[in-house]
Amino acid sequence: MIDALRLDEHGQLFALSQAVRAVCEETKTAQAECDTWTGVCGWLISQADVWRADPWLAEFVAGQVWDVWRALTRAAREPDSPSIPCAVEGCHGRITALDDGTGGWLWPDVCTDGHRVDRAELVRRWKATQPAPLADVAQTVGRSPRTLARWVAAGWLKAAAQDGRTPLYRADEAQRIAALMERTA
Ligand SMILES: [Zn+2]
């Protein structure tokens, strides 16, 4: 989102200011003095009759607006990076994944307090927080699907998400219930 506000050629505000510049050049009017979101948007709206009348300008402005809309929509939909607490006893640090640019996550080797991280263990813990069908969760926690279905019926294990009609559960929650059962057994 920070990127979206950059005024240089990679920012979204720049894309809109290019539209303003094009309208001013094509209609031979003085360059509009606007370099804020409010200024640029307000100016383009106020001059809509002018640029819509020219097919080339109409297409150019629409293209710039469409790019900005797409970039903002993408930013708004981007899920939060997964973040897992450090496994070191007493550490309040976290390990937060970085978007690898292809829809996957890159995990750093150290927590925010500098402890080295076992990545395989980290990914395992993160996967346990991702909602999955009951049978998969049962396999992850090493219990039978029947046992988990009982926990669901008892209201101990609640669906974390829904995939169509299939309820999805979190393995870490099932693990917590399994640990409780062992303690009370
Ligand atoms: Zn740590």
Side-chain angles (χ1 to χ4, degrees):
M1 279 306 278
I2 308 290
D3 241 25
L5 299 174
R6 279 158 56 172
L7 245 179
D8 60 67
E9 59 185 293
H10 303 294
Q12 301 307 318
L13 186 50
F14 178 80
L16 286 190
S17 66
Q18 287 293 89
V20 170
R21 180 166 310 164
V23 174
C24 293
E25 272 166 19
E26 287 297 307
T27 57
K28 302 201 167 31
T29 51
Q31 281 297 322
E33 294 285 331
C34 47
D35 54 7
T36 62
W37 279 103
T38 329
V40 169
C41 295
W43 191 88
L44 284 171
I45 292 167
S46 73
Q47 301 299 309
D49 286 346
V50 175
W51 53 263
R52 270 202 301 237
D54 177 320
W56 183 85
L57 274 181
E59 200 182 316
F60 183 76
V61 175
Q64 299 296 96
V65 169
W66 175 244
D67 285 348
V68 172
W69 181 83
R70 257 200 325 231
L72 286 174
T73 304
R74 216 166 28 234
R77 282 186 187 152
E78 194 137 318
D80 284 340
S81 293
S83 182
I84 295 286
C86 180
V88 172
E89 183 100 27
C91 176
H92 297 293
R94 298 188 73 83
I95 304 102
T96 302
L98 299 168
D99 189 340
D100 74 357
T102 67
W105 300 111
L106 286 174
W107 293 94
D109 320 272
V110 289
C111 87
T112 44
D113 278 7
H115 295 118
R116 278 210 89 69
V117 162
D118 173 351
R119 277 215 209 143
E121 186 271 344
L122 188 73
V123 168
R124 212 163 36 239
R125 276 202 291 144
W126 173 64
K127 280 199 175 135
T129 68
Q130 301 303 295
L134 197 66
D136 296 359
V137 172
Q139 197 171 18
T140 306
V141 302
R143 299 298 173 105
S144 71
R146 251 171 114 86
T147 302
L148 265 72
R150 269 206 302 276
W151 296 352
V152 172
W156 299 340
L157 182 59
K158 294 189 170 64
Q162 200 83 18
D163 178 15
R165 284 186 177 180
T166 311
L168 305 176
Y169 302 88
R170 283 175 58 154
D172 59 339
E173 283 175 14
Q175 199 78 65
R176 196 171 44 80
I177 295 163
L180 274 172
M181 305 278 288
E182 268 160 32
R183 215 172 302 159
T184 54

